[in-house]
Amino acid sequence: MEEGALNTKMEDLKLHGFWYSPFTMRVVWTLKLKGLPYENIEEDRYNKSPQLLEYNPVHKKIPVLVHGGKPICESMIIVQYIDELWPQNPLVPLDPYDRAQAMFWVAYSEQMIPAQKEKDVEKALENFKVLEHHCLADKRKFFGGDKINIVDIAIGSLFAFFVTIEDIKQEKVLVAERFPLLHLWFDNFKNVSIIKENFPDREKMSATIKSIMERRRLASS
């Protein structure tokens, strides 16, 4: 590899996000799995920095990864960018068919987001049934088989948010009796050392999301 190419890769990485956001989690987990140092810039949900608004003028949302002064937006685009640039611990399958299957389930995870945002339990149950019966039916340890891949990152972040909603509502939906394979997968995923070390504190997460929900309720009343 030429020296110039190496220097380009080693330029500083900066991540603008909210620590409690499932979309920020996706990027954090990816950076950690790759062993990449980065500067974390915690944004204020109600007073976003001028830098964030400059880096993402279209949606004005987190997360934004800044690499060598160049911004990359949208969580799963960022994950793929990192995976292509730093090939260690690959997250996207090399085989074209396996890659196509992985990207199908990543796209499916994006369809799950409205149910998460709207706290629509019935819709979430439908999504869980699909994952249980069509994605984990072969009883694999992770969506990627024996190792975490991009699907685990995409869906795992949403589950981290969903269990927080369960805590707030004091209603358990993701139970082993109903979704044994999905429940086992989530246990496997959150107990991977890198994920476990960078999983948001459950009590702090619940308190933060509850505060956001209350603020929204007051604003709409």
Side-chain angles (χ1 to χ4, degrees):
M1 182 182 295
E2 295 181 2
E3 185 178 354
L6 180 61
N7 288 339
T8 299
K9 285 194 172 187
M10 296 304 290
E11 287 175 346
D12 289 341
L13 291 167
K14 298 180 181 180
L15 175 61
H16 292 254
F18 307 143
W19 67 267
Y20 51 84
S21 164
F23 310 112
T24 300
M25 287 178 213
R26 291 170 168 179
V27 183
V28 169
W29 292 340
T30 301
L31 290 166
K32 294 291 185 178
L33 286 166
K34 297 287 186 177
L36 298 172
Y38 67 97
E39 178 184 350
N40 184 66
I41 301 172
E42 185 67 25
E43 290 285 345
D44 183 342
R45 185 181 195 89
Y46 305 105
N47 185 26
K48 295 171 183 174
S49 70
Q51 290 84 4
L52 175 67
L53 302 179
E54 177 186 346
Y55 288 140
N56 190 357
V58 177
H59 297 300
K60 301 177 175 61
K61 292 181 179 180
I62 57 89
V64 174
L65 181 73
V66 184
H67 180 210
K70 297 180 179 179
I72 305 96
C73 305
E74 299 293 331
S75 62
M76 294 314 299
I77 292 174
I78 296 170
V79 170
Q80 291 178 68
Y81 175 85
I82 294 169
D83 195 59
E84 288 182 18
L85 201 52
W86 289 278
Q88 66 270 26
N89 298 324
L91 296 173
V92 178
L94 294 176
D95 178 80
Y97 179 79
D98 291 342
R99 184 164 61 249
Q101 292 302 302
M103 299 319 295
F104 172 86
W105 289 110
V106 167
Y108 185 80
S109 77
E110 300 300 283
Q111 296 173 28
M112 292 169 61
I113 292 171
Q116 301 278 330
K117 287 184 175 180
E118 297 163 16
K119 291 78 178 176
D120 186 340
V121 174
E122 289 303 314
K123 182 59 180 175
L125 284 171
E126 290 180 22
N127 293 329
F128 292 173
K129 287 176 184 177
V130 169
L131 295 173
E132 178 87 6
H133 297 297
H134 297 284
C135 198
L136 291 170
D138 57 1
K139 300 182 180 180
R140 65 184 76 179
K141 185 175 182 180
F142 301 112
F143 288 113
D146 293 329
K147 294 182 180 180
I148 285 177
N149 79 357
I150 194 170
V151 183
D152 298 282
I153 296 294
I155 296 177
S157 62
L158 299 182
F159 273 57
F161 184 79
F162 186 80
V163 295
T164 302
I165 300 301
E166 284 187 326
D167 290 344
I168 293 171
K169 289 191 170 187
Q170 297 184 329
E171 177 185 3
K172 294 296 178 185
V173 176
L174 184 62
V175 292
E177 293 78 12
R178 184 179 288 178
F179 302 107
L181 300 180
L182 208 49
H183 189 272
L184 179 60
W185 160 77
F186 191 50
D187 274 347
N188 290 334
F189 176 75
K190 67 184 181 182
N191 283 305
V192 171
S193 58
I194 291 290
I195 303 299
K196 189 174 184 179
E197 291 164 11
N198 295 280
F199 207 83
D201 179 81
R202 197 154 177 170
E203 289 186 8
K204 185 180 177 184
M205 180 91 165
S206 292
T208 301
I209 299 302
K210 192 173 183 178
S211 174
I212 292 170
M213 291 169 64
E214 179 64 13
R215 187 161 177 166
R216 285 179 177 172
R217 186 188 69 78
L218 292 173
S220 62
S221 61

